[in-house]
Amino acid sequence: MARKIVVAITGASGSIYAKVLLNRLIELKDQISEVGIVMSDNAKDVWQEELQNQAYNNFPFQFYSKNDFFAPFASGSARYDTMIICPCSMGTLARIAHGISSDLTTRAADVILKERRKLILVTRETPLSLVHIQNMKLITEAGGIICPASPSFYSLPKTFDELAGTVVDRVLSLAGFDFDHYQWGKE
């Protein structure tokens, strides 16, 4: 069954994770029927600063305005099955944890949680305050998955994209996609 995926990109540092995620979703197109993207203004600024381009404009997905509450995934009836927020700022995490649906990202996350579907937040912050940890606890208790952007090194990544790919592959595995990727103990 083809998947319907929402990807939200917030203004947290870590645009490379979003770029690698979008590239991987293109590779997994045979498992996906729809990808909806919502990107904050800060996310665009951070992408430009960190990656020195505006390549987010070149991806073949439907992009929605941050205030477009008519986007299909703003309603549970559209049956999007997974939402990935990558990277996820602590402000976005806090609004989701407390049910504040002030924009399309937080509304879509609220919908995913209330419909008991898969929400994965790729958090990018260090160190963590007690407030951050408590908000992560609330989201986890509500059924969300916190997947910190903590790359692994045992696959011996040689580029920044490969390093970011260690996180993205974990996220896609958590989301239930079937694909070849490095797994500990397998050749």
Side-chain angles (χ1 to χ4, degrees), residues 15 69 81 105 118 125 127:
S15 297
F69 285 88
D81 56 86
T105 295
K118 195 163 285 194
E125 188 65 75

Side-chain angles (χ1 to χ4, degrees), residues 146-167:
I146 307 298
C147 184
S150 299
S152 63
F153 297 91
Y154 44 77
S155 63
L156 306 177
K158 294 174 182 45
T159 67
F160 284 122
D161 279 11
E162 288 178 4
L163 190 62
T166 67
V167 171

